[in-house]
Amino acid sequence: MTKPSEKPLIVTIMGPTAAGKTAAALAIAERIPSEIISVDSALVYREMDIGTAKPSAAERARVPHHLIDILDPLEAYSVMQFRQDALRLAADIVARGKLPLLVGGTMLYFKGLKDGLDALPQADAGLRAALDAEAAVIGSPAMHAKLAALDPVTAARLKPNDAQRIQRALEIIALTGQPMSELLAKAPKMELPFNVLPIALEPSERSVLHARITTRFDAMLEGGGLIEEVEALRARGDLHLGLPSMRCVGYRQTWEYLDGAYDLGELREKGIAATRQLAKRQLTWLRSMPERHVIDCLAPTAAASILQQITRASENAR
């Protein structure tokens, strides 16, 4: 138990896709009374079970899960909404005498939770459309060069083909007259009402993680139901590839396959490649968090190692 003056403990279990985060969290919950808060921008959507590798009904029955199946695929979910929901849920879990486990791979959500929210302006539909039109004419590298002239700090951390983030940075400059890097530097940090134990499940061998990704994607295609799931989503008639839900890895590629853009073999190749790229981005995010406790996700003792870290953190809080 924590003293009234102490902040309660929450544990974040971060990692790339296919790192075994759900399995580790379930193993911990069997030893410590816990509830899981999903930190995953795809698991929030209903009707999207196969491609998101959503925890099964049996797994969710073993341990209470939160922020899963809370939105229709037509809706959007922001970092601000996640932070508000996660803080509220964590407080409720602590009040029930349990440990909040925040588990997932959406690193922007973890960052928003830890650092708070910036004061950047909301998106402007008209301006965004104009930037889209400009990008269609001159291309993403030229848009990146334009950003480099206006906000070299932000441009330096973005790749020339990162069209979405380049567009957002240019949009902010147009709306505020200030570079995004300056606005973020001025933003006050928001103190969390919890002590956070950041755990990162990372592979000691990247090739083994890649093999896991391949095996899982093949299972989704070969009788797993991914194509049928996307067919059902398309049949609704109100969804399209511009939505955040349909931009999720696996869904975009399957949608394009159903559009006839490529054959089944190409779908497999593109789906696996996109998932590997996602894992690479997630690991890059993790390396920018020096405070994290790294545990080899390939080790059979991964869950036991996390338990040791939790025990140590709890003892230090006494």
Side-chain angles (χ1 to χ4, degrees):
M1 298 294 292
T2 59
K3 300 174 184 177
S5 60
E6 293 175 345
K7 293 181 182 180
L9 177 70
I10 64 173
V11 178
T12 59
I13 301 178
M14 308 171 286
T17 185
K21 299 180 291 294
T22 295
L26 289 170
I28 291 162
E30 289 178 350
R31 299 286 300 275
I32 300 174
S34 310
E35 296 187 27
I36 295 172
I37 299 174
S38 171
V39 188
D40 191 300
S41 60
L43 295 188
V44 296
Y45 293 113
R46 296 184 289 270
E47 304 177 48
M48 296 173 60
D49 302 333
I50 307 302
T52 61
K54 192 172 289 179
S56 67
E59 289 171 330
R60 292 159 70 178
R62 286 165 57 190
V63 180
H65 285 65
H66 304 276
L67 300 187
I68 294 177
D69 288 343
I70 62 171
L71 293 181
D72 184 85
L74 198 58
E75 300 175 277
Y77 192 60
S78 69
V79 178
M80 179 183 297
Q81 288 171 297
F82 166 78
R83 190 176 198 274
Q84 292 171 343
D85 288 343
L87 290 176
R88 171 181 53 81
L89 288 165
D92 290 345
I93 293 167
V94 169
R96 289 192 285 271
K98 295 182 179 181
L99 175 67
L101 301 176
L102 286 86
V103 183
T106 300
M107 300 305 163
L108 192 59
Y109 284 5
F110 282 117
K111 185 179 187 303
L113 180 72
K114 179 175 71 75
D115 296 338
L117 304 170
D118 54 54
L120 300 180
Q122 294 295 310
D124 181 286
L127 178 56
R128 186 156 288 189
L131 289 168
D132 275 338
E134 183 180 359
V137 173
I138 68 173
S140 185
M143 296 292 280
H144 184 266
K146 179 178 178 180
L147 176 63
L150 299 170
D151 184 358
V153 174
T154 299
R157 65 179 180 81
L158 298 179
K159 293 183 178 179
N161 62 351
D162 195 346
Q164 188 174 353
R165 290 186 175 86
I166 292 169
Q167 178 200 64
R168 176 59 175 157
L170 289 170
E171 178 185 45
I172 288 167
I173 294 169
L175 289 172
T176 67
Q178 298 181 70
M180 184 169 75
S181 56
E182 290 185 10
L183 291 173
L184 291 176
K186 295 175 185 174
K189 297 295 182 183
M190 300 175 69
E191 186 174 350
L192 276 175
F194 301 98
N195 282 324
V196 181
L197 175 61
I199 302 292
L201 287 172
E202 302 178 27
S204 53
E205 294 183 50
R206 190 78 63 92
S207 62
V208 178
L209 182 70
H210 287 175
R212 282 190 184 182
I213 288 170
T214 298
T215 299
R216 189 167 74 174
F217 196 78
D218 282 342
M220 291 176 183
L221 288 179
E222 298 169 5
L226 175 60
I227 293 174
E228 292 77 10
E229 185 171 76
V230 178
E231 283 178 329
L233 292 166
R234 283 164 60 94
R236 287 178 36 154
D238 59 349
L239 302 176
H240 55 83
L241 284 179
L243 294 168
S245 59
M246 294 300 101
R247 290 201 298 267
C248 291
V249 167
Y251 288 88
R252 172 184 287 277
Q253 292 76 22
T254 305
W255 188 294
E256 291 171 342
Y257 159 75
L258 292 170
D259 274 342
Y262 31 79
D263 61 28
L264 186 60
E266 290 171 317
L267 164 59
R268 178 181 181 272
E269 291 176 4
K270 290 179 180 295
I272 291 171
T275 309
R276 287 183 177 181
Q277 288 166 4
L278 170 62
K280 182 179 179 180
R281 291 194 300 271
Q282 290 167 320
L283 288 167
T284 299
W285 268 93
L286 288 170
R287 285 195 293 271
S288 71
M289 301 177 182
E291 72 279 10
R292 75 196 190 283
H293 300 272
V294 178
I295 291 174
D296 182 8
C297 68
L298 307 180
T301 57
S305 298
I306 296 174
L307 279 167
Q308 290 177 350
Q309 293 285 351
I310 294 172
T311 300
R312 190 175 299 122
S314 299
E315 290 174 349
N316 290 340
R318 291 173 187 166

